[in-house]
Amino acid sequence: MALRRHFLCLALPLTLLALAPAFADEGEWVPPVRHAETLKECGECHMAFQPALLPAGSWRAIMGNLSDHFGEDASLPPATAASIEHYLVAGAGRGDPSLLRITEQRWWRHEHDFSPGRFARPEVRSKINCAACHQGAENGYYEDD
């Protein structure tokens, strides 16, 4: 009986992990950022975006040019940058690796097919302010229905 209970306790988390890519495809849930360096370094200026929101090629390109990170110098010590890049690439999702912005990915444009004025509202201000519309964004929840 104890072995069966132990198996069931392990089965649920493993099942959820196996289903995570399916949820990510639907834009509702992606694994949250749990990497301390990513949370600290990326989260200082914006929400630390989950690795599954961009493909590996996009993360490599972003991390390879931190001195011009979308117009800002986000340079990091080499060991820190390598650790963050490894984390992001290991958890990367699907998409067009030639696109560096999450907001340019086809899945994102499909999910956000509404008036551009919505992003200009004072409570939103920007396309990368995910938490303005998705209260669970930092925890990987993007359901907004």
Side-chain angles (χ1 to χ4, degrees), residues 17-144:
L17 282 174
L19 293 175
F23 287 121
D25 287 345
E26 303 218 359
E28 296 175 3
W29 184 81
V30 292
V33 176
R34 298 280 189 236
H35 185 251
E37 288 174 307
T38 301
L39 286 168
K40 179 184 181 300
E41 299 297 341
C42 302
E44 283 185 5
C45 298
H46 55 74
M47 182 182 94
F49 296 110
Q50 293 86 8
L53 298 180
L54 281 174
S58 298
W59 287 125
R60 283 188 191 100
I62 289 169
M63 294 304 297
N65 190 21
L66 290 176
S67 63
D68 184 15
H69 183 67
F70 304 104
E72 301 289 328
D73 185 355
S75 298
L76 294 170
T80 302
S83 175
I84 292 171
E85 180 176 346
H86 176 77
Y87 171 73
L88 295 171
V89 168
R94 288 183 258 167
D96 182 343
S98 71
L99 301 174
L100 304 186
R101 294 179 186 273
I102 294 166
T103 58
E104 293 174 348
Q105 293 290 328
R106 185 175 57 86
W107 64 264
W108 191 94
R109 290 191 331 265
H110 172 75
E111 292 292 325
H112 299 85
D113 185 23
F114 41 73
S115 166
R118 184 177 250 178
F119 298 110
R121 294 186 328 212
E123 65 274 16
V124 178
R125 298 180 319 274
S126 167
K127 289 180 179 180
I128 65 165
N129 184 11
C130 303
C133 299
H134 306 281
Q135 293 179 359
E138 289 187 10
N139 293 312
Y141 294 99
Y142 291 92
E143 177 59 49
D144 59 348

